[in-house]
Amino acid sequence: SMTKKHYEAIADAISREARMWHSDSKYAFVCQNIADSLADYFCKDNPLFNRVKFMQRISDNIAKTKSQT
């Protein structure tokens, strides 16, 4: 069973990829779709999974990087 640490690690990995290609809107859209698909699966797999927190972590990580550049 996956834990909060697993979900955070996956969100962070998606964030890293999205940051590398943030200027390419098509690629950013793909990252968003992957995050949405994984969140759908995680919700089905674990009723305690918090989709909002998962998506927010990705968004916050991307925003932090953009503000640092």
Side-chain angles (χ1 to χ4, degrees):
S1 178
M2 292 182 57
T3 67
K4 180 180 176 182
K5 280 186 173 184
H6 293 111
Y7 298 133
E8 289 173 345
I10 292 167
D12 293 347
I14 293 169
S15 300
R16 280 191 301 276
E17 290 301 312
R19 285 192 310 253
M20 286 176 47
W21 299 97
H22 67 85
S23 61
D24 184 339
S25 60
K26 289 179 187 175
Y27 189 80
F29 184 72
V30 169
C31 287
Q32 179 66 39
N33 284 346
I34 291 168
D36 281 334
S37 293
L38 286 170
D40 288 343
Y41 174 78
F42 297 154
C43 284
K44 290 175 189 169
D45 184 57
N46 180 352
L48 298 178
F49 172 75
N50 189 322
R51 179 190 194 93
V52 172
K53 283 186 180 180
F54 179 78
M55 300 304 283
Q56 190 62 52
R57 184 178 181 102
I58 294 168
S59 209
D60 289 350
N61 285 343
I62 293 168
K64 283 180 197 173
T65 300
K66 287 183 180 178
S67 69
Q68 292 172 355
T69 56

